[in-house]
Amino acid sequence: MLKAEHISVTLEDRLVLQDLSCAFRAGEFWGIIGQNGAGKSTLLQCLAGLLAPDDGRVLVDGDNMHQLDPLSRAQKVAYLMQEQEPSLAFTVYQAVEMGRYPWPDNPDNRQQMTEQTLSACRIADLQNRSILQLSGGERRKVEIATCLAQNSDYLLLDEPFNHLDVVYQRFLVKKLQNLSRDKAVVMVCHDIDVVARYCSHVLMLLDDCYLSGDSATMLNKANLEELFDEPQ
């Protein structure tokens, strides 16, 4: 279980998260929704162990996330940033292969896992190209594939559909739904229809409270009106 216990975060003198508790388990596909600035990305950074909360703690399978070494964290949690800008001319194959870094693979197994991920993410035809020469959508596919190659128990995705065409968005959300049968998948998403159709659970970050539960219960008219601050 990946669990946040009463976490609070202040950034640049602004209270972004206050006394937030939530838990994510294998077999669940979570959508995190909320208006801009509600703290969605900040929460994912805390859950990934990249940002320590001012109060409270994050636990992964009973261990304090911020007391684990980076490799141990990476074996537990894979994290996709909202935006990433490449700066080095790695090939697509090399970039995806880096997802295997936390694991003590032998070369043959690392190659097999990398090739399987490239194929599963439908980017095998890009593997010899430099990531600096890709379109924004193609780079996003590589970033997602790198996370999946990591094969961690918990998958944290910050707006994974950024830059992706509609066809690949549909493919990706179905793939994430399938992965959530064995893993915990948690994504920030602004498309309420996608969350309602595919996510089993929802965490809503509202102005004065946090609501969480199964999608069918949480995505009701009253909650959506409060989320968007207007009648639906």
Side-chain angles (χ1 to χ4, degrees):
M1 182 190 306
L2 179 60
K3 185 177 183 181
E5 293 184 339
H6 304 288
I7 64 171
S8 296
V9 178
T10 299
L11 298 175
E12 298 182 349
D13 298 322
R14 186 174 78 89
L15 185 61
V16 180
L17 297 172
Q18 183 176 17
D19 196 30
L20 170 61
S21 296
C22 52
F24 310 99
R25 300 169 178 82
E28 297 175 345
F29 186 7
W30 282 81
I32 300 179
I33 58 178
Q35 294 190 16
N36 293 336
K40 302 181 296 297
S41 296
T42 299
L43 173 59
L44 283 197
Q45 291 171 29
C46 290
L47 293 172
L50 301 177
L51 177 65
D54 300 309
D55 295 300
R57 62 179 183 169
V58 175
L59 300 175
V60 56
D61 297 333
D63 294 321
N64 190 313
M65 176 68 78
H66 295 91
Q67 293 178 357
L68 296 176
D69 63 84
L71 284 182
S72 296
R73 286 203 305 267
Q75 289 176 358
K76 293 287 188 181
V77 176
Y79 168 62
L80 177 72
M81 297 173 61
Q82 186 178 120
E83 296 285 348
Q84 297 177 223
E85 285 297 327
S87 58
L88 299 174
F90 292 111
T91 65
V92 168
Y93 183 96
Q94 290 170 328
V96 174
E97 186 182 37
M98 290 178 190
R100 299 303 305 159
Y101 180 76
W103 302 98
D105 285 338
N106 64 58
D108 289 341
N109 187 58
R110 183 167 61 247
Q111 179 180 355
Q112 181 183 23
M113 290 292 293
T114 302
E115 291 176 351
Q116 286 177 351
T117 304
L118 288 165
S119 177
C121 292
R122 301 181 177 178
I123 56 171
D125 58 318
L126 303 177
Q127 62 182 302
N128 295 319
R129 292 179 58 185
S130 166
I131 58 174
L132 298 181
Q133 302 302 317
L134 301 179
S135 70
E138 288 171 330
R139 284 202 306 271
R140 194 59 168 172
K141 294 176 184 179
V142 174
E143 294 159 4
I144 292 165
T146 303
C147 284
L148 298 188
Q150 200 170 320
N151 197 29
S152 305
D153 294 330
Y154 304 94
L155 188 58
L156 309 179
L157 309 166
D158 197 348
E159 298 188 34
F161 307 125
N162 282 354
H163 309 297
L164 297 177
D165 60 64
V166 174
V167 173
Y168 200 86
Q169 287 182 28
R170 187 178 300 113
F171 160 75
L172 177 59
V173 73
K174 291 180 179 178
K175 185 170 189 61
L176 295 176
Q177 188 180 47
N178 288 334
L179 286 170
S180 70
R181 295 172 182 172
D182 301 311
K183 301 177 182 293
V185 179
V186 183
M187 72 171 180
V188 170
C189 184
H190 287 288
D191 191 328
I192 302 300
D193 291 334
V194 167
V195 173
R197 182 173 181 179
Y198 293 100
C199 293
S200 61
H201 293 74
V202 176
L203 172 61
M204 306 178 72
L205 306 188
L206 306 176
D207 285 338
D208 56 352
C209 67
Y210 310 113
L211 302 176
S212 65
D214 65 90
S215 299
T217 301
M218 299 307 303
L219 296 176
N220 58 55
K221 182 178 179 181
N223 286 344
L224 291 175
E225 285 183 355
E226 184 171 0
L227 177 67
F228 295 108
D229 196 26
E230 61 182 24
Q232 297 298 305

